[in-house]
Amino acid sequence: MTAPLFPPISMLAELTHRCPLQCPYCSNPVELMKANSELDTKTWLDLFRQAADLGVLQVHLSGGEPTLRRDLEELVDGLAMRGVYTNLITAGVLIPPGRIHALAEAGLDHVQLSIQGAHADTTELIGHYRGAYEQKLETARRVRAAGLPLTVNAPIHRHNIEQVPEFIELALALGAERLEIANVQYSGWALVNRDALMPDREAVDRQVEIVTAAQERLRGIMNIDFVTPDYFATYPKPCMGGWARDAFVVVPDGTVLPCHAAQTIRSLSFARFGEHSLGDIWANSSAFNAFRGTDWMQEPCRSCERREIDWGGCRCQAMAIAGDAAATDPACIKSPIHARMAMLIEDAQTAAREHKGDEFVYRRITHAREPV
């Protein structure tokens, strides 16, 4: 049946695609938006007001690197004035002294800091940025000095999966309340680099054992979020909690999406804020309604007892692997092409053995970085 329309409670605001790092696992689209396409301050503030009116309770300020926006304090203040919880998702580099404190004074509630490796050399290899590791640790210290809660985000792939125990110890040392063991999802630049990023099954199994033990050991001390990576899963997870159920994404030019990778589904047309109100887009957009609820589902999803648990899984992954956005997510064991996931894992391992899959294709949009 069609799911009832509830108000959204969460929003990911991609304020910019500019970033000093060039991470090959980045989920942003391969065609990155330039600075001159970004919404201005006034438009973002209007969008945030409409989001609060709709019922949004939390906004994740992301990018690219959101601290490259000079108006970030003003945007945070606008959200704080409406009582909206704000989470800054940052790479933690090129942030001048005093900026974190200024953001806290403006009303920022939380900081999520990405760290690409538990060691400096791994962090610099992945981010393609000299000195990134030290800058990230300093940002973490400034976050805690400003009295803000800290989440460490550890994007996991072949080149750092064996560092998971050290990521756990690093997050503890930095005083983080939360650690995300964030296995890379293959969209955007990560899909381009899939062969270079895909871990092997044995490494994933070890990771599960290590994280499960740490979750128990650190219960009440630090929360560790972990989800088995899709390509190694038995059942899919609900994308964004289910397509257009309670969350949405706005990209730098104001285009509103049900999930961050939705534009890879070329058959869908997405509305832009300013041309339409946020409420109209949420309720009436053809793209938002395309996979909302269960009426769109094919078999085996349509009759599956999990259809209102995982909501069919990831539509973008179905598009990328099955060639049909309405197909069962191939991560699901009930998918007729589930075996294709194992084939893709093996293809990546073959490329690694033959040294054909180790070169990264780095994202490039800015020269705002140290020379490497």
Side-chain angles (χ1 to χ4, degrees):
M1 68 176 197
T2 302
L5 180 64
F6 295 111
I9 61 173
S10 180
M11 168 186 171
L12 176 66
E14 295 182 348
L15 301 177
T16 180
H17 278 168
R18 291 173 288 149
C19 186
L21 303 189
Q22 298 185 41
C23 301
Y25 63 78
C26 182
S27 61
N28 281 342
V30 175
E31 294 296 325
L32 295 165
M33 295 179 187
K34 305 296 185 182
N36 61 7
S37 67
E38 296 171 13
L39 297 183
D40 61 20
T41 308
K42 181 177 180 296
T43 306
W44 272 117
L45 288 172
D46 185 29
L47 190 155
F48 291 149
R49 282 191 291 269
Q50 291 191 29
D53 289 342
L54 269 178
V56 168
L57 301 176
Q58 59 182 349
V59 171
H60 304 278
L61 300 164
S62 182
E65 175 48 53
T67 61
L68 293 177
R69 292 279 306 214
R70 295 180 180 179
D71 58 356
L72 185 57
E73 288 85 347
E74 188 175 353
L75 299 180
V76 168
D77 179 71
L79 288 161
M81 292 288 288
R82 291 300 305 268
V84 176
Y85 186 94
T86 48
N87 173 37
L88 175 65
I89 302 174
T90 179
V93 301
L94 288 181
I95 302 177
R99 187 83 192 276
I100 297 294
H101 181 77
L103 288 165
E105 287 289 303
L108 184 67
D109 292 297
H110 183 273
V111 174
Q112 179 174 316
L113 173 66
S114 66
I115 302 181
Q116 285 68 34
H119 310 295
D121 56 349
T122 308
T123 299
E124 294 183 6
L125 169 69
I126 303 304
H128 207 53
Y129 185 107
R130 184 176 300 155
Y133 185 74
E134 290 77 12
Q135 289 191 39
K136 289 171 181 288
L137 299 192
E138 180 58 28
T139 294
R141 287 188 282 268
R142 290 172 181 170
V143 168
R144 301 305 288 130
L148 291 170
L150 173 67
T151 290
V152 169
N153 177 272
I156 301 299
H157 46 79
R158 181 197 304 165
H159 298 268
N160 65 7
I161 194 168
E162 301 298 346
Q163 296 176 19
V164 166
E166 293 162 285
F167 271 120
I168 295 169
E169 296 309 312
L170 176 61
L172 282 168
L174 293 174
E177 286 87 355
R178 182 167 163 264
L179 169 65
E180 283 190 359
I181 302 295
N183 288 281
V184 165
Q185 302 296 310
Y186 297 102
S187 62
W189 287 86
L191 184 58
V192 173
N193 287 287
R194 183 170 58 192
D195 280 355
L197 294 168
M198 184 80 72
D200 60 49
R201 193 172 297 277
E202 291 75 16
V204 172
D205 290 343
R206 286 194 298 272
Q207 176 190 220
V208 171
E209 292 178 4
I210 290 165
V211 174
T212 301
Q215 286 173 323
E216 183 61 31
R217 174 171 58 90
L218 298 173
R219 190 181 305 276
I221 299 172
M222 182 176 71
N223 185 45
I224 303 177
D225 286 348
F226 172 77
V227 178
T228 302
D230 285 353
Y231 280 55
F232 300 83
T234 302
Y235 294 108
K237 56 182 177 291
C239 177
M240 297 283 290
W243 184 277
R245 290 194 69 237
D246 59 19
F248 62 91
V249 178
V250 182
V251 298
D253 70 350
T255 302
V256 186
L257 308 175
C259 79
H260 71 277
Q263 287 173 304
T264 60
I265 304 175
R266 301 295 186 184
S267 60
L268 298 181
S269 177
F270 300 97
R272 185 175 297 180
F273 177 75
E275 299 171 3
H276 302 269
S277 71
L278 203 54
D280 181 46
I281 295 170
W282 176 255
N284 302 315
S285 163
S286 61
F288 274 64
N289 285 305
F291 303 112
R292 187 177 254 153
T294 60
D295 282 355
W296 59 272
M297 289 182 177
Q298 304 173 0
E299 292 293 352
C301 293
R302 180 177 288 272
S303 58
C304 180
E305 68 280 1
R306 294 179 54 86
R307 64 186 177 278
E308 293 187 17
I309 297 174
D310 57 40
W311 298 99
C314 180
R315 299 300 88 225
C316 303
Q317 190 157 261
M319 184 74 244
I321 298 175
D324 177 5
T328 300
D329 185 340
C332 183
I333 197 169
K334 296 183 179 183
S335 164
I337 61 167
H338 180 67
R340 194 173 298 178
M341 305 298 265
M343 292 172 59
L344 290 169
I345 295 169
E346 180 55 35
D347 287 348
Q349 303 320 306
T350 299
R353 288 192 294 269
E354 297 175 356
H355 304 289
K356 295 178 180 178
D358 288 334
E359 291 297 321
F360 293 139
V361 179
Y362 289 103
R363 52 167 280 173
R364 296 182 183 276
I365 194 169
T366 179
H367 299 293
R369 64 180 179 89
E370 298 294 330
V372 174

